[in-house]
């Protein structure tokens, strides 16, 4: 999708063949020779264990920017392809892709593309569902399914982007009343007139 919808066709496939999963790792250090040796050892280990099929290492900042363009271009590419239902959730790593597959199964009869990407380091998954235009049937298959499944999988329905205006009505189903009461009291203490970022968490 990124290849197809990147403006100007600037994105290119970094490997000779396509694979079901891609992981982008950025490293940094103060001793280039030592850092390179550690990276080489890591790559030999994961390739030898057959955990990784193929890979590429950026040799300069230009190549690094090209790799990052692929990752950062996923969201914009989804938007170029149509209307996007976006879910910012966190899950145990073992469950991160399961919800992508389940969502694809639920939407098998619809004109929808399901994309899962995120951050392995903090178990944050961006679940994007792209449709040609707003589709009530698709949305009905997504909500509250995504939130209910995430909660049952010991995840969070709100990860890095907060609760916002769309998820607040689902909070009572995933947070105990005592926690919600404490959140309300904290909000009233700091914002008694409800003028700070209104409607984003409590309505």
């Amino acid at each position: 999708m990124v290849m197809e919808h990147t403006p100007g066709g600037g994105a290119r496939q970094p490997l000779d063949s396509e694979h079901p999963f891609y992981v982008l790792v950025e490293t940094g250090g103060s001793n280039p020779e030592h850092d390179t040796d550690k990276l080489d050892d890591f790559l030999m280990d994961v390739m030898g264990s057959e955990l990784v099929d193929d890979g590429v290492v950026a040799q300069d900042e230009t190549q690094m920017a090209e790799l990052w363009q692929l990752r950062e271009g996923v969201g914009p590419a989804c938007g170029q392809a149509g209307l996007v239902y976006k879910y910012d959730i966190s899950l145990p790593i073992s469950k991160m892709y399961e919800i992508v597959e389940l969502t694809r199964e639920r939407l098998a009869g619809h004109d929808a593309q399901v994309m899962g990407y995120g951050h392995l380091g903090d178990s944050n998954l961006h679940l994007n569902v792209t449709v040609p235009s707003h589709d009530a049937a698709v949305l009905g298959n997504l909500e509250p399914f995504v939130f209910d499944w995430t909660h049952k999988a010991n995840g969070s329905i709100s990860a890095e982007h907060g609760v916002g205006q769309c998820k607040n009505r689902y909070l009572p189903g995933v947070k105990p009343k005592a926690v919600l009461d404490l959140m309300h009291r904290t909000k009233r203490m700091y914002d008694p007139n409800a003028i700070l970022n209104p409607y984003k968490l409590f309505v």
Side-chain angles (χ1 to χ4, degrees):
M1 183 178 286
V2 176
M3 305 297 177
E4 182 180 354
H5 294 285
T6 298
R12 62 187 183 88
Q13 172 63 260
L15 303 175
D16 293 334
S17 58
E18 294 187 1
H19 300 270
F21 300 101
Y22 297 86
V23 177
L24 178 61
V25 179
E26 182 175 344
T27 66
S30 58
N31 186 328
E33 183 176 345
H34 177 65
D35 298 334
T36 299
D37 289 342
K38 288 197 298 183
L39 178 60
D40 288 343
D41 289 342
F42 167 74
L43 294 175
M44 289 179 62
D45 181 57
V46 295
M47 295 290 285
S49 65
E50 299 184 352
L51 182 65
V52 173
D53 292 328
D54 198 359
V56 63
V57 178
Q59 300 301 309
D60 52 43
E61 291 189 4
T62 298
Q63 292 182 3
M64 182 175 71
E66 290 176 350
L67 292 175
W68 271 109
Q69 181 186 27
L70 295 172
R71 165 59 180 83
E72 295 175 342
V74 176
C78 290
Q80 289 287 328
L83 182 142
V84 188
Y85 297 112
K86 299 183 177 183
Y87 300 93
D88 172 50
I89 57 181
S90 63
L91 288 162
I93 290 179
S94 61
K95 296 282 188 179
M96 283 185 75
Y97 203 70
E98 185 174 345
I99 192 171
V100 177
E101 295 174 324
L102 290 173
T103 302
R104 285 176 177 158
E105 291 176 6
R106 289 179 68 86
L107 300 179
H110 300 272
D111 185 7
Q113 291 181 283
V114 181
M115 179 85 65
Y117 66 103
H119 327 137
L120 288 175
D122 60 6
S123 299
N124 180 198
L125 175 71
H126 301 300
L127 179 66
N128 283 12
V129 179
T130 303
V131 292
S133 59
H134 173 66
D135 189 322
V138 169
L139 185 58
N141 272 285
L142 291 171
E143 298 178 12
F145 163 74
V146 171
F147 305 128
D148 290 343
W149 192 93
T150 299
H151 178 59
K152 291 175 183 177
N154 294 318
S156 172
I157 69 169
S158 177
E160 65 174 334
H161 295 298
V163 174
Q165 295 176 313
C166 298
K167 296 180 182 177
N168 46 26
R169 64 183 180 275
Y170 294 106
L171 284 179
V174 299
K175 291 293 184 183
K177 184 178 183 301
V179 173
L180 293 176
D181 289 343
L182 178 60
M183 294 169 70
H184 276 281
R185 292 200 303 271
T186 304
K187 170 68 172 175
R188 287 194 295 268
M189 179 176 67
Y190 286 104
D191 184 22
N193 297 319
I195 61 174
L196 301 176
N197 204 22
Y199 315 116
K200 297 300 188 297
L201 184 57
F202 301 119
V203 295

